[in-house]
Amino acid sequence: MKINLKNGIDKLIFGMKQNDVIAIYGKPDRNYKDEDDNVIFAYNAQKMRLTFYQEEDLKLGYIVASANDLELFDNKMIGRKIIDVKNELNQKGLSKFTAEDFDTFENYFNEDNWIILQTEFDEVVKVEVGAIINDKDEFDWKFGKK
């Protein structure tokens, strides 16, 4: 599955509604609401958790993925050393990461592309991507744009 920075993952595009996602992947394995009343879809086979923002007309705004076939710039992400992944991303212009650690986990966040690489024991275990917020402090929804 390909990560499309600022747009989504695989066939998922930020701004999709629940029915758009169900048309692609079918009904989710889990469907629940979080503490902010956002709708969460979990797909076991794809190892993805999708968040539809309640305050944004339930549009897809955040994806957490951990599938072994997850790629960015044709490079696998999951199960690889963070130093190798960051070196590859640096060559593609993604060099600014803010690191935050807790317990055995570390998060590497690139705000320009709203991507988080989560590691444990120096290996990437999860990737999170979110919809971009534009200069007007609004979400830059990609779905439906030509």
Side-chain angles (χ1 to χ4, degrees):
M1 287 190 310
K2 185 177 175 184
I3 298 169
N4 303 302
L5 290 176
K6 302 182 182 181
N7 289 284
I9 292 180
D10 194 35
K11 297 173 187 160
L12 299 175
I13 302 169
F14 293 125
M16 285 181 157
K17 301 291 223 127
Q18 294 169 59
N19 287 338
D20 300 314
V21 173
I22 290 170
I24 296 169
Y25 291 119
K27 291 193 184 245
D29 295 290
R30 288 187 64 206
N31 176 351
Y32 60 96
K33 289 187 178 183
D34 67 11
E35 64 277 357
D36 296 321
D37 275 340
N38 298 317
V39 172
I40 310 296
F41 279 12
Y43 286 95
N44 294 343
Q46 292 80 13
K47 293 189 176 181
M48 285 195 299
R49 184 178 77 222
L50 316 178
T51 302
F52 298 87
Y53 291 137
Q54 190 272 329
E55 291 185 358
E56 294 291 329
D57 199 27
L58 291 174
K59 291 180 180 176
L60 174 62
Y62 205 78
I63 305 169
V64 178
S66 60
N68 287 332
D69 64 346
L70 201 58
E71 293 183 353
L72 179 58
F73 303 124
D74 296 322
N75 295 313
K76 297 243 186 238
M77 305 296 288
I78 302 300
R80 296 189 52 227
K81 294 288 184 191
I82 186 62
I83 189 75
D84 297 334
V85 171
K86 283 178 65 183
N87 284 337
E88 291 169 357
L89 295 179
N90 189 36
Q91 293 172 7
K92 300 290 185 180
L94 267 76
S95 57
K96 289 188 244 169
F97 283 92
T98 305
E100 177 184 48
D101 63 338
F102 50 99
D103 238 3
T104 59
F105 293 95
E106 286 185 311
N107 282 350
Y108 295 89
F109 175 54
N110 176 278
E111 186 173 5
D112 292 341
N113 294 284
W114 211 267
I115 183 168
I116 297 172
L117 306 174
Q118 187 176 88
T119 66
E120 186 173 32
F121 307 113
D122 284 334
E123 284 187 2
V124 178
V125 295
K126 194 183 298 180
V127 177
E128 302 181 22
V129 291
I132 299 296
I133 296 175
N134 64 25
D135 295 338
K136 298 176 189 166
D137 208 27
E138 300 169 339
F139 282 101
D140 184 11
W141 300 118
K142 301 298 184 181
F143 186 68
K145 285 189 175 180
K146 296 288 179 196

